[in-house]
Amino acid sequence: MHAESQIREPLIIGNKTYRNITDDIIAPIEGKANRTWYILFTIASLAFMWGIGCLAYTIGVGIGAWGSNNGVDWAWDITNFVWWIGIGHAGTLISAVLLLFRQKWRMAINRSAEAMTIFAVLCAAIFVTLHTGRPWLDYMLFPLPNQFGSLWPNFNSPLLWDVFAVSTYATVSIVFWYIGLIPDFAMVRDRVIKPRMKKAYALLSFGWGGSVRHWSRFEEVSLVLAGLSTPLVFSVHSIVSFDFATSVVPGWHTTIFPPYFVSGAVFSGFAMVLTLMLIVRKVYKLEAYLTIKHVEYMNIVIIVTGSIVGVAYLTELFVAWYSGVEWEQYAFLNRATGPLAWSYWIMMTCNVISPQLFWFKKLRTNLVFTFVLSIVVNIGMWFERFVIIVPTLCRTYLPSTWNTYTPSFIDVGIFVGTIGMFFTLFLLYSRTFPVIAQAELKSILKASGEAQKKASAEHAHH
Amino acid sequence: MSKKYWKGLPELTDSPEFLQKKNNEFAEALPMDEFLSGDDANSKGTSRRDFLKVMGFSTAAVALAACETPVNKAIPYVVKPEEVTPGVANFYASTFYDGHDYASVLVKTREGRPIKIEGNDLSKVSHGATSARVQSSVLSLYDGARLNGPLAKGNATTWKNVDDAVAKSLSTGTAVILSSTIISPSTKAVIAEFTAKHPNAKHVTYDAISYSALIKANKNVFGKSVVSSYDFSKAKTIVGVACDFLGTWLNPIEFANQYSKTRKVNRENLEMSKHYSFEANLSLTGANADERYMVKPSEYGKVIAALYNEVAGATGNSKVSDAKVSNADAAKAITKIGAELVKNSGSSIVVCGFNDEGCQTLVNGINKMLNNYGKTVDVELYYNLKQADDKEFLDLVADLNAGKVGTLMTYNCNPVYTAPSSLKFADAYKKATVKVSFSQSLDETAKLADYVCPDHNFLESWGDANPKRGHYSLQQPTINPIFAAPRYEGTRQVQDTLLKWSGIKTDYLTYLQGYWNNHIFPQQGKHLDFASFWANTLHDGVLKVSVLKDVPFVPAQIDSTGKVVATGVAAIVNELVVDTTKVIKPTAHVAATPGAVATVANADYNKAAAMATSAKGGTYELVVYEKIGLGNGNQSNNPWLLELPDPISKVTWDNYITMSIPDVKKLGLNEMLRQDIDGSIVDLTVNGVSVKVPVFPQPGQMPGTIGLAVGYGRTAEAMKAAFGVGVNAFPFVSVINDTLQYVGLNATVAKAEGTHTFASTQIQHTIMGREEYILREVSLKEYKDKAKEVWNPEALLPMHGGGTKHVNEVDLWAEHPRMNHKWGMTIDMTSCIGCAACVVACTVENNIHVVGKEEVGKTRDMHWLRIDRYYTSDMNKDKAHEEGLGTKQMYIDMENPSANPKVTFQPMMCQHCNHAPCETVCPVLATSHSTEGLNMMTYNRCIGTRYCANNCPFKVRRFNWFNYIDNSMFADVNPAQQDLGRMVLNPDVVVRSRGVMEKCSMCTQRLQAGKLAAKAAGMPIVDGAIKTACQSACPTNAIMFGDANDENSEVSKWRSDDKNYYLLEEVGVKPTVSYLLKVRNQDEAIHHEAHTTAPKHEGKADAHKEEHHS
């Protein structure tokens, strides 16, 4: 067991024993849902169903139901896609990168962050598969053996790279998440009494026995998957950014996009983790495991990534000016002062100014403030994608093609629907899955638990 | 006797009980009523079995009804018509004339269906050119609003009933045939027959857009009531006063063609005509003028009088009393123009489109003093177009009101819709005893008529035309009448109807041949027998005779038995047609003698000047004008034309009043500058007639004037596409001095509640300082004097370490091999007048969907070819620098066009880039490159990611947002949704379905057909043998297409011209389409920036010189 400094703030508060941890974490699965859960679930599933209705209408008549047009051919669809993919980034970063860096505080949040990743990628998948004009032909995007002669997809197209990047990412994330869940499913299996539930969790836990051999393989696989996932954290959003960066559209064609997109993704992902964790913490009374310190750590990540994003915005402006390219200069001038400038300034306010408030310790340890700001950041990040796509496409090379964009109510419906879907899935998840990786958490109880730290401090004094 | 089988003993015995039951389908009555009534369900004995029976039956019935498989019939010919080969198009020469526009045309038919109209190169009147209206006329054949049989009081009836009823009515009272100008000599003869049979009948000509002042002026000056013809091709100085001769005036197709000939500038021919325009609205012609001056309609006469005096002064003629022109710029220009006109005496032209006798007389005087008659203007070679005398129409209205008209027959006109409100024509019309309309659809007049006798469409009709003296053309049916027995009562050609009503048994075709045999055949000396003459003329479609003989319209004389005797027009038809051996001796030919012009000795120009300068305007003066799309409204119901963006405003599916921006500001109306596309609504009142109409702020509109286009505001419900679109402007036409004047000199405008959304295809008006990359222009002087590097520099990129390289040498990609052909297109922006004939031609050729106003408003128009229209702005980079203006403010100011901007038209379609950005980003290879240099779409492969469209620098790709062919939202606007309208589709081009990207294919189907023809002939493709649809429609030959691999091809020659440039060349996409920059005939230089994409920070801040227009 690693020894940990006494000065470090404990990661588990209270006089928790292994038994307490098990009890606390299984409580939502074993117990009945409270009123708050039902209210949230009703709202979320209603939004989800509305979204399904709007999607069904879109599939019925065509994507003319949206506000996009000839000129602004992508709008809310791709904005939402990039936004959701970005949100999905935090999960993998927390579970893989922080694992490699041995950041133990991740253990309280990684399970839910990964769940969030998977749900966010599902939401993103809705947009990326249904934004096409003929979604029933989406299979042509894959290099399947086919009868069209030797007709393969176009490997030059960043959109194709997207297909590979996102599908790889989704697969690895799901596998990684599931591997981590196995010991916890076994714990649930051992606890629950109802035979059906027992059978289900027994199936899910793959006959986990908790032997040393099992643990050894578990840790090895986790490390391997962490190693595999880490480059994916960087590749997915880099490749998503290639959709824009490799084009000839002024305002899109910039080499800064890959790092800028990745940091933006981590930024928004952490904000979403915070939003969710603060709810989970409250609803399931997990204050002992999701401490103020956890929130503060995450807020620090938000300051760092938010600042990177801010620097990227300013760099873009500088490069536009420095390059001397008229198109580029106008594209940025248009974003900042054109007809859709309000979206640019929402983005700037939410993403550049607001995270800087976390420099104040008082603010970054204030849960209400953090909750509000985590939502503000995600609003800002949605507008970042909107600004990149819509105002840019509204005014490209030929002034004769300059136009405007208004979303339709179907656009709004589908977006709200995916938010509904996200929360519906998350709420269902939180009632059936152990929301904290308790097996892992138990491994740090002796080193980072408050009670144990106090005990060892007293021991040292004597 | 066949055997009879009985089903059971009761049948054999035929018991009465059995007999009674046999008639019922069910042995026991189903308790349906009780079951459905629902009350007391249990007691009435509705059993579960009954319920299940009913349930089962209805489910099965519904399921079966839904299971009907659509049957698609493709039946081959059993006996193939000789001239029809499936898959091969036939072309027939014919004539388009709708009472307004004339063109000699070739009709392309496929499997017996006319699907496209092309110009007839042999014509010396329309010169193989077409206009948007001519191109779209093929759809009129398949108009869902067409009637399929005669109507009596709105109900379907038979021809016999109508014939009887009309015969009865004709035998009792007076009769009037009211028609638009008839240019068909044989039809005039038919009418002569009719009036001979019915001595109380007369023929009144009424044109919705009248030119009667022009006729009166020619009467005043030359003693001839004719419409003179014009030849712009010989003019060096062109002056137009309120005259849209390139778009709508008189015979615009011919004028556009002539005009463009004076504007082809190159190193061999450094001269071009200089064109001045005075007008209130910004017309298509004004937009093309080298110098345009804004004047109010009340000052048109003053401008002309001042010009008259300038010319009179310089030529030593007596002056007339004139009045001051309030626009100082215009007044100053008149002096200069006068001198220039005199300098180019005999090769100048002054035209006026204002229907005022005084103005037109003075214009005649000016042209006469300039010695232009017989050269650029001709009263001997007069047009037969626009013959209406407004006085006759006004008299007819008086007669109608006095109850003097028994039978009124309206042919090819719609006076209830087009007559000025002051005449209250609809009320007068109702006073005619019997009203007969020959309209093809239930239009405003036909709705009020007692009998509607629908005419054939022009593509179903025989006919002839004599548009200009000495020029004839024939019209032949290219399809059997669509509405014909036995399925329908059918339509009937008006000439047949009139012949019938005249008691002549001959059908019109025979009559027509007889007429030609008797009157036109003798005028020519080429063919010796009528049969070969007829066959050849029909083949060519046109005939030009050197004899200028006025053909008499002598009616046939009919004997008491109703038999035609030999002295009439058509009487000896039969003998002569078969008598092929008859030799006609050339009669004494009277050659046209240009120059020798008889004139009236003392034309009273002072009286004319007094008349012309007397007009007084109010606060606002309304100009009623024709749009390029709808013209006078004959084709109001044509969705292609409704969706055609107006070349100037770029607005579709609407009419509106155009107002100057200062006026809009003054009234506190929505300016619609920048991206705001909602317009205000105002109450417009002229002479007591008021209407609510949206306002479109129009740069180039004379302050104090407003424009409103005719052709909209149809109230005929049958016209589904046009019904309810816009307001009707015809009621605002004024009657002044017994002529219809298309102005309302005293208009008031008051702001009303609400806003109106325009569906515009272009909302950004100016080029935003990007001229050098997109829209190059040069003044004629600079073109002559300065080196090419100044005004058309190469696209050079600065290299690392110094030096520059041409952008084509800086390349990441390998060249595509171009073994055989390398198709190329070049567009001459100096020739392009923006008339939009190409846009409609492309729509017809490529089955482009009509999407309706709402979708166009969302920037979802589907046109593969659009014409970008740019106005100049007062702001430019130099000026901003001088004034110390910030960049943001500079760009905001740049978005505002000048008050009287210069206009440039730029046809824009897929540029078929050799390094196409769309191709690399398509994930499924749906868009790819051909070995012949074309960027191709594979619709089947397209999944609709729309990435290609985002990555297109020219934004020419069009996405099918909906299934336009099937979605009920588009049922009224998309002709391809009706069985009838679908017949116009080009079978060689796929009709794209939902979710697919499309764009210009360079008419790949024509390329393929051309290559196949060459292959069949065993010879290489001849340059010019393949023409794209846009190219062949263009009246000014502004589009050239061909093989750029062939260095002798015309397109290669165009590309080697020093005016050639590529759009956005620096971007490196290597377009296949190139442009010849626009030469403006002006002395003031158009400044050009030092053309380089060198980063600005390397030099001084102001190294990036920006051009500005003077």
Side-chain angles (χ1 to χ4, degrees), chain A residues 66 131 157 243 322 395 397, chain B residues 675 860 921 946-947 1097:
Chain A
W66 299 352
H131 93 286
S157 170
D243 285 346
Y322 185 71
R395 294 189 166 194
Y397 289 101
Chain B
Q675 304 288 336
R860 288 180 181 168
V921 298
R946 311 183 302 294
Y947 197 176
H1097 56 87

Side-chain angles (χ1 to χ4, degrees), chain B residues 231-239 262 273-274 340-350 367 370-373 375-377:
Chain B
D231 190 351
F232 289 81
S233 67
K234 291 177 186 151
K236 287 181 186 150
T237 306
I238 299 165
V239 181
T262 68
S273 65
K274 180 124 185 172
E340 210 169 303
L341 282 171
V342 174
K343 201 178 92 192
N344 288 322
S345 280
S347 58
S348 58
I349 190 166
V350 181
N367 278 323
L370 292 170
N371 200 20
N372 286 337
Y373 278 95
K375 290 166 184 137
T376 56
V377 191

Side-chain angles (χ1 to χ4, degrees), chain B residues 582-596:
Chain B
K582 186 181 177 195
V583 179
I584 302 287
K585 285 192 183 129
T587 47
H589 287 192
V590 184
T593 48

Side-chain angles (χ1 to χ4, degrees), chain B residues 582-659:
Chain B
K582 186 181 177 195
V583 179
I584 302 287
K585 285 192 183 129
T587 47
H589 287 192
V590 184
T593 48
V597 183
T599 55
V600 172
N602 296 314
D604 191 348
Y605 294 114
N606 276 315
K607 187 182 147 206
M611 202 170 170
T613 54
S614 65
K616 283 200 176 47
T619 329
Y620 289 102
E621 298 178 20
L622 173 73
V623 179
V624 176
Y625 70 102
E626 289 172 78
K627 270 201 191 184
I628 301 300
L630 290 194
N632 70 348
N634 276 349
Q635 292 192 62
S636 287
N637 199 37
N638 191 318
W640 290 340
L641 290 178
L642 285 162
E643 186 137 315
L644 176 72
D646 182 75
I648 303 296
S649 70
K650 307 309 278 181
V651 174
T652 65
W653 288 99
D654 239 328
N655 77 340
Y656 39 77
I657 60 170
T658 54
M659 287 186 86

